[in-house]
Amino acid sequence: MVKNLAIGTGRRKTAVARVFVRSGNGKIVVNGKEMNEYFVTDSQRRLVHLPLLVTSSDNKYDILINVCGGGLNGQAAACLHGISRALVQIDQDSRTALKANGYLTRDSRMTERKKYGQRGARRRFQFSKR
């Protein structure tokens, strides 16, 4: 049986990522797929790898991520948040480096809701003077 070293939950917009960190050699699996298959753009992959690079633990752990909700960019940011939280559970000394880069802070920006009688959150219908 595989033992989880730490579990972290990351959130961004409407995406929620559950991160399970296990001892291994740096393999990252997202929703049953290899990270390179799941996240198509290079910037999304780099975003997921950032907390591992900052703590210099990119080849120490295998990471299993279950992520749902939102789009791929929000999911990648949620994974970053979850991995950071899990790494802090494993090693408290890495907290200062992660906090300095802002990886432990949940990005609270959400999409503004659509208002009734309008086309969108801020978009108004075209005004006609006559």
Side-chain angles (χ1 to χ4, degrees):
M1 186 177 150
V2 182
K3 188 175 185 314
N4 293 327
L5 297 174
I7 300 170
T9 305
R11 293 183 185 90
R12 171 75 174 101
K13 291 187 177 179
T14 56
V16 179
R18 289 180 300 164
V19 177
F20 304 94
V21 179
R22 301 167 175 171
S23 57
N25 53 7
K27 192 170 134 188
I28 300 176
V29 177
V30 183
N31 287 354
K33 292 182 181 177
E34 202 65 40
M35 185 188 67
N36 294 334
E37 289 177 42
Y38 192 83
F39 292 118
V40 284
T41 65
D42 195 42
S43 61
Q44 291 168 348
R45 292 186 204 126
R46 200 176 308 113
L47 201 64
V48 174
H49 257 289
L50 281 175
L52 297 169
L53 295 174
V54 167
T55 57
S56 64
S57 57
D58 46 344
N59 292 327
K60 286 184 189 174
Y61 307 113
D62 283 347
I63 298 173
L64 177 72
I65 303 172
N66 293 329
V67 65
C68 62
L72 286 177
N73 282 323
Q75 287 185 351
C79 292
L80 170 130
H81 189 222
I83 291 170
S84 300
R85 282 178 152 187
L87 288 174
V88 167
Q89 282 184 9
I90 294 170
D91 182 23
Q92 280 282 256
D93 298 333
S94 63
R95 182 177 176 84
T96 53
L98 291 168
K99 188 121 176 103
N101 286 299
Y103 300 154
L104 293 175
T105 307
R106 189 231 197 265
D107 195 346
S108 61
R109 294 176 293 173
M110 299 287 280
T111 53
E112 193 174 329
R113 77 174 192 85
K114 181 190 170 296
K115 306 331 183 275
Y116 59 88
Q118 300 299 338
R119 274 178 41 181
R122 300 194 175 194
R123 181 81 168 100
R124 304 290 183 235
F125 288 118
Q126 188 169 348
F127 174 72
S128 172
K129 196 167 190 175
R130 285 176 194 87

